[in-house]
């Protein structure tokens, strides 16, 4: 008789085309059916049985992409929408993607999510980037699925953006001026150790939320790490410590020297204001031996010869195909007792007053469709139609319908969504296609939209609005 082989669990990896994601294929392929998610079309291979194209800024896209998943790995950080114009703080964009991923995992019946974040310093205030990673942990756990977070130090590998930045500095500068932040201690981790840790926790039982730290057993300063990186290339470098170089100036000279974008340099320098050390009680006991600093730097230096292109994080955004689109995301703190439905209704009620004399609002009897018209002539500027099957008290999705200021676009939508906790909401305009010429839109409608959303945020968060909302709720 033929013995039937047990079916391998299906693992879906968000961020499969990234530095860590690419390394997971060979490590996980033997025990799992591996499916990679990426924004662009990719061919399967290198351990991935299938690759799915998905836009994590779209909940429907994410839900389709997670179909059939048993387990999931989330490797997404500071993702930018595929839009020509993006308005919004990176942390709000991150929350939106993580919230979509968590909801999609819940719909698919995923049993366990593994997330790779960063080490968190024991300081009263941390950088925006580290705070955003903590918020992602919360967002991924929001539906009740067990989440294992691996908080890693600087991940060292030949094609890693942080290591590329480090190696470019030591190879291009025979002498370096080192400000105080380079004396902060850190514990980097080898790429291979991160991949092994992901495999280890995927195969373990997770009944709740778990957090483990990853890093080498040795703590060293960033200046020491630069010196050892130089040694791995057979170079001698001189380091001069100075107390006066500000983080802003540091970002400038690192960017000019390495060619790395400010968006990559800034979080690294911000995170190094404090020691980034593994908590002994939270260290993940790896089954395989932890790679030493010398070994990880030596392996990365050797791997440099096989790299033909700069890491993805060093490259500019690829030009978008099709019409020029807009993504605009803002975070709001809600008054007590209020939800996404209240925000959506309040927005349509508040907007005519904010643009008094310019627009008027027409609304259907059931309140599910709103038209914004030019006050003087009555011409329709654009409209919003509630998508009932995708909306509830915590999330309201409205399709943008065309007018003088908006083209027909099947994916154009405005949504209000509660995230993290009941007091936090996101207002997000997705895939909006303006009718005005692009240069004119940027100067007029785009600037006005940013201003309007800033005013609306102020309105929602004012104590008077909160008091009024609470009074209405209790009467």
């Amino acid at each position: 008789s033929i013995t039937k082989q047990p079916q391998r669990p299906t693992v879906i990896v968000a961020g499969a085309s990234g530095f860590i994601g690419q390394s997971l294929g060979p490590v996980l392929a033997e025990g799992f059916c591996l499916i990679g998610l990426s924004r662009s079309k990719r061919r399967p291979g290198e351990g991935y049985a299938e690759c799915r194209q998905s836009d994590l800024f779209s909940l429907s896209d994410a839900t389709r992409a997670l179909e059939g998943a048993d387990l999931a790995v989330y490797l997404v950080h500071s993702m930018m929408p595929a839009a020509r114009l993006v308005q919004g703080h990176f942390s709000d964009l991150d929350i939106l993607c993580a919230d979509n991923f968590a909801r999609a995992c819940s719909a698919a019946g995923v049993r366990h999510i593994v997330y790779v974040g960063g080490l968190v310093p024991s300081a009263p205030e941390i950088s925006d980037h580290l705070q955003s990673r903590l918020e992602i942990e919360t967002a991924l756990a929001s539906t009740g699925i067990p989440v294992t977070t691996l908080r890693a130090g600087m991940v060292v590998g030949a094609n890693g953006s942080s290591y590329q930045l480090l190696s470019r500095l030591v190879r291009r500068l025979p002498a370096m001026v080192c400000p105080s932040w380079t004396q902060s201690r850190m514990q980097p981790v080898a790429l291979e150790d991160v991949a092994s840790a992901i495999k280890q926790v995927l195969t373990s039982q997770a009944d709740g939320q778990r957090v483990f730290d990853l890093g080498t057993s040795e703590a060293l300063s960033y200046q020491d790490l630069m010196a050892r990186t130089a040694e791995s290339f057979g170079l001698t470098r001189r380091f001069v410590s100075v107390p006066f170089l500000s983080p802003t100036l540091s970002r400038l000279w690192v960017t000019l020297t390495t060619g790395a974008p400010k968006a990559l340099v800034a979080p690294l320098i911000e995170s190094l204001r404090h020691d980034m050390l593994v908590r002994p009680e939270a260290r993940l006991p790896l089954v395989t031996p932890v790679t030493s600093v010398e070994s990880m730097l030596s392996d990365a230096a050797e791997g440099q010869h096989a790299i033909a292109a700069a890491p993805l994080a060093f490259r500019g955004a690829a030009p978008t195909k099709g019409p020029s689109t807009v993504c605009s995301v803002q975070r709001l703190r809600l008054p007590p007792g209020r939800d996404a439905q209240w925000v959506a209704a309040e927005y349509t009620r508040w907007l005519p007053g904010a643009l008094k004399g310019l627009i008027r609002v027409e609304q259907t009897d059931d309140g599910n469709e709103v038209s914004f018209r030019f006050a003087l002539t009555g011409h329709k500027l654009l409209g919003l139609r509630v998508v009932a099957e995708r909306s509830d008290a915590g999330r309201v999705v409205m399709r943008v319908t065309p007018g003088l200021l908006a083209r027909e676009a099947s994916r154009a939508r405005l949504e209000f969504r509660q995230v993290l906790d009941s007091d936090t909401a996101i207002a997000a305009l997705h895939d909006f296609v303006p009718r005005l010429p692009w240069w004119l839109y940027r100067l007029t409608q785009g600037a006005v939209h940013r201003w309007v959303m800033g005013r609306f945020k102020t309105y929602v968060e004012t104590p008077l609005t909160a008091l009024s909302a609470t009074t209405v709720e209790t009467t």
Side-chain angles (χ1 to χ4, degrees):
S1 63
I2 298 175
T3 302
K4 186 177 181 180
Q5 296 295 323
Q7 186 175 0
R8 295 179 300 166
T10 297
V11 178
I12 290 187
V13 180
S17 60
F19 169 51
I20 299 176
Q22 291 181 31
S23 74
L24 285 182
V27 176
L28 298 182
E30 183 177 345
F32 302 94
C33 176
L34 206 58
I35 298 175
L37 303 187
S38 60
R39 182 181 298 167
S40 57
K41 289 184 178 179
R42 299 176 64 86
R43 293 181 178 179
E46 298 181 341
Y48 284 93
E50 182 184 348
C51 292
R52 297 177 181 175
Q53 186 177 9
S54 177
D55 177 10
L56 290 183
F57 287 98
S58 165
L59 178 56
S60 57
D61 271 21
T63 302
R64 284 191 295 269
L66 267 293
E67 288 179 356
D70 299 305
L71 309 166
V73 179
Y74 193 76
L75 304 172
V76 177
H77 296 296
S78 300
M79 176 180 281
M80 294 299 288
R84 188 172 179 183
L85 175 63
V86 179
Q87 298 175 338
H89 195 268
F90 74 88
S91 62
D92 300 335
L93 300 172
D94 279 351
I95 281 297
L96 197 53
C97 287
D99 190 70
N100 279 339
F101 191 78
R103 291 171 186 246
C105 284
S106 179
V110 168
R111 303 192 303 267
H112 183 195
I113 299 173
V114 177
Y115 166 59
V116 179
L119 291 178
V120 178
S122 56
E125 295 184 5
I126 59 176
S127 69
D128 289 345
H129 281 80
L130 291 177
Q131 182 62 46
S132 176
R133 293 192 176 191
L134 291 178
E135 289 182 341
I136 291 174
E137 293 181 19
T138 302
L140 291 176
S142 62
T143 64
I145 298 174
V147 175
T148 298
T149 298
L150 299 174
R151 294 180 182 171
M154 178 191 293
V155 182
V156 175
N159 206 30
S161 54
S162 295
Y163 174 76
Q164 283 274 356
L165 190 151
L166 182 69
S167 65
R168 290 183 184 203
L169 278 177
V170 301
R171 285 188 293 173
R172 295 178 181 182
L173 296 176
M176 276 174 273
V177 175
C178 296
S180 58
W181 57 264
T182 63
Q183 302 305 314
S184 297
R185 294 186 304 153
M186 60 189 303
Q187 289 173 274
V189 59
L191 173 63
E192 293 78 10
D193 290 346
V194 175
S196 295
I198 293 173
K199 180 178 181 180
Q200 184 173 322
V201 297
L202 277 175
T203 55
S204 64
Q205 183 68 31
D207 298 323
Q209 315 313 317
R210 305 182 298 175
V211 179
F212 297 109
D213 289 358
L214 298 176
T216 184
S217 56
E218 180 183 4
L220 67 165
S221 70
Y222 195 78
Q223 182 175 318
D224 289 336
L225 187 62
M226 289 191 290
R228 295 202 196 180
T229 301
E231 291 174 5
S232 71
F233 288 108
L235 301 172
T236 301
R237 292 294 182 252
R238 178 178 174 80
F239 301 95
V240 180
S241 298
V242 295
F244 54 80
L245 203 56
S246 68
T248 301
L249 289 175
S250 297
R251 288 195 295 268
L252 178 61
W253 71 260
V254 171
T255 299
L256 292 175
T257 302
T258 64
K262 290 189 295 183
L264 173 63
V265 175
L268 176 62
I269 292 178
E270 284 182 17
S271 65
L272 288 175
R273 291 183 299 169
H274 308 289
D275 290 341
M276 303 285 286
L277 302 176
V278 172
R279 297 166 298 165
E281 72 280 6
R283 179 184 288 276
L284 177 68
L286 281 175
V287 174
T288 55
V290 177
T291 307
S292 67
V293 174
E294 283 74 15
S295 294
M296 71 177 73
L297 292 177
S298 176
D299 292 344
E302 290 180 11
Q304 291 280 288
H305 304 296
I307 297 174
L312 291 174
F314 276 63
R315 307 173 206 169
T320 57
K321 297 179 181 180
S324 297
T325 60
V326 179
C327 176
S328 182
V329 180
Q330 291 79 31
R331 182 183 307 211
L332 312 169
R333 295 297 297 178
L334 297 180
R338 291 307 183 179
D339 56 20
Q341 285 186 339
W342 176 84
V343 182
E346 199 68 7
Y347 177 73
T348 57
R349 187 198 67 79
W350 169 87
L351 188 57
L355 299 176
K356 190 174 183 178
L358 294 178
I359 67 170
R360 73 168 190 261
V361 174
E362 293 182 357
Q363 195 166 9
T364 57
D365 291 339
D366 59 8
N368 286 335
E369 189 158 1
V370 180
S371 294
F372 298 96
R373 298 184 178 275
F374 188 44
L376 295 178
T377 66
H379 287 89
K380 182 181 177 182
L381 302 175
L382 56 83
L384 298 172
R385 184 174 64 251
V386 175
V387 184
E389 65 273 16
R390 296 176 58 189
S391 302
D392 53 38
R395 179 174 181 251
V396 177
V397 180
M398 295 178 281
R399 290 291 184 195
V400 178
T401 57
L404 294 179
L405 297 180
R407 291 187 181 277
E408 179 71 46
S410 61
R411 291 174 63 91
R413 62 201 184 277
L414 174 67
E415 70 169 309
F416 296 93
R417 177 195 306 203
Q418 288 172 269
V419 295
L420 296 178
D421 56 59
S422 59
D423 297 332
T424 303
I426 291 287
L429 177 67
H430 301 276
D431 297 310
F432 177 79
V433 182
R435 188 175 292 277
L436 295 176
W438 186 255
W439 66 270
L440 184 58
Y441 171 82
R442 292 288 299 266
L443 292 174
T444 57
Q445 187 181 349
V448 169
H449 177 76
R450 179 190 285 271
W451 175 81
V452 165
M453 295 311 296
R455 287 280 308 276
F456 182 60
K457 171 183 171 69
T458 301
Y459 165 75
V460 168
E461 295 179 350
T462 55
L464 183 61
T465 304
L467 178 62
S468 175
T470 305
T471 302
V472 172
E473 182 72 20
T474 55
T475 56

